[in-house]
Amino acid sequence: METLSLDLLSALPMEGVEGSPLDADVIWKTVERAATDATSVHHVIENTDETPDDDETVMDWLRTIDSDALETVVNDLLTEHATTILDSERSRIVIIDFVDNPYHGTYLHHPREICSMKPRDGTTDCHRYCTAFVLDTKKPLTLAITPVTSDEDAADAVGRVLDRVEELPFEVNAILADRGYYQERVIRRARATAPVVLPVVKKGEQLRDQLDTHASYWTKYAMYKGKERELRFPHAVCVSYQSGDRGKHGEVVRGYVACDLTDRTPKQVEALYRKRSAIETSYRTYREARAVTATPDPLIRFVFVAVSFLLRNLWLVVRWAVVARPRQGGRDLPTEFTFELVCGWIRDHLSADLGWQYTWETNGVGLPPGYDPTAA
């Protein structure tokens, strides 16, 4: 796993620092050791003998990466993972979502580097990435990723991700997104790829009237009605009942943009959308291998996020192609072969490679006088 992961990271386009006695291999080992322990490069360097003298040296090497080339290579590698283990003859459901990396600090070059999010971890600032995942219980791969700036339209980021998805050799039969993508341009772009499901944002008199009901039904809604950018889409209004779930009771009405899905009932549309919750597992495992950093450099932060997603995909590929046992009805996935376990293996090997020193500051008192463990 260590060899496979380092081969993967070595494909990232890092030129390196001219005249440095180091090589890219030790830089990637340092970064990967930090990632698999969800710690900082500084912490790794402080505790190892075979790494650079300071973490700024590692950062200098990472700054030689071209950001556009990095995004291209990372997405090429994600595409390779998908084509390796996903059956091209099956259609797929794709989930698009923003991944927000909370940030406590200021921008490096321009305010657009930092996006705003709902309060989390004591901040409303973040570095944001638009991602695409495939909905598959056994092979939930990341298909594409792109950084997002605060001054760009979400549709542009969605377009870059979906351009990548469209290159994959399987048909997309639905795209699921959260309410953060409830925008006219986003809906148009996603609809050009596949049927789309996402929740409506409850604003405007027309929409409130449509949601004022006690029965599920189909209707149509016009976004920016009467304007040049008017967008009409099928609106699935779904009424359900909460029977004590999370302490809630009574009727709840939800509306969904449901382009090209009117052959289903509103309840079926809602059931399809609820499959999107599977993405939370992907987020949780991705964070298990994300190196932490205080740097304001968006390039380096993207490198750490990309490394995390690449390692997660590598685990999924190995689990399916190498470890899962073929059987009638599909392969048997070993529940013990977890991402946490694999990260531990890589971490242990890298600790040995980098000369990890297991030290701890003592209290200065020591053992009691006359202590002799052999006396008994």
Side-chain angles (χ1 to χ4, degrees), residues 200-360:
V200 300
V201 176
K202 300 178 182 179
K203 60 181 181 181
E205 183 177 349
Q206 180 190 359
L207 197 55
R208 285 195 295 268
D209 288 344
Q210 291 182 352
L211 295 173
D212 185 16
T213 182
H214 300 285
S216 301
Y217 72 105
W218 277 103
T219 185
K220 289 182 179 286
Y221 179 73
M223 187 182 284
Y224 301 109
K225 187 175 182 180
K227 298 182 179 180
E228 184 178 347
R229 60 190 296 195
E230 178 180 312
L231 171 66
R232 293 180 176 272
F233 58 78
H235 182 197
V237 179
C238 188
V239 178
S240 55
Y241 299 89
Q242 301 174 107
S243 55
D245 295 340
R246 300 182 182 179
K248 297 180 180 180
H249 298 268
E251 188 178 81
V252 59
V253 183
R254 300 184 180 91
Y256 299 91
V257 176
C259 300
D260 306 316
L261 290 167
T262 52
D263 57 330
R264 309 187 187 204
T265 66
K267 285 283 190 180
Q268 288 173 329
V269 169
E270 183 170 63
L272 173 61
Y273 178 74
R274 285 181 175 174
K275 293 181 178 181
R276 187 187 166 279
S277 61
I279 199 173
E280 296 304 323
T281 302
S282 300
Y283 283 169
R284 187 167 57 251
T285 52
Y286 130 79
R287 294 189 186 104
E288 291 176 10
R290 187 186 65 197
V292 298
T293 181
T295 181
D297 193 328
L299 169 62
I300 293 176
R301 298 180 76 89
F302 180 42
V303 170
F304 289 169
V305 168
V307 167
S308 177
F309 278 115
L310 288 172
L311 291 177
R312 179 182 172 277
N313 263 22
L314 176 63
W315 161 66
L316 291 170
V317 169
V318 171
R319 186 180 68 165
W320 179 260
V322 180
V323 181
R325 294 183 178 275
R327 65 175 182 180
Q328 188 175 2
R331 298 194 183 193
D332 181 23
L333 287 180
T335 56
E336 303 86 357
F337 191 75
T338 63
F339 188 44
E340 181 182 10
L341 175 70
V342 170
C343 285
W345 288 350
I346 297 173
R347 183 170 61 246
D348 290 345
H349 279 270
L350 289 174
S351 293
D353 289 347
L354 298 175
W356 190 274
Q357 299 299 311
Y358 295 92
T359 60
W360 199 267

Side-chain angles (χ1 to χ4, degrees), residues 12-13 69-79 145 302 306 310:
L12 302 183
L70 173 65
E71 183 177 345
T72 297
V73 173
V74 167
N75 282 293
D76 286 345
L77 292 170
L78 296 178
T79 296
I145 182 171
F302 180 42
L310 288 172

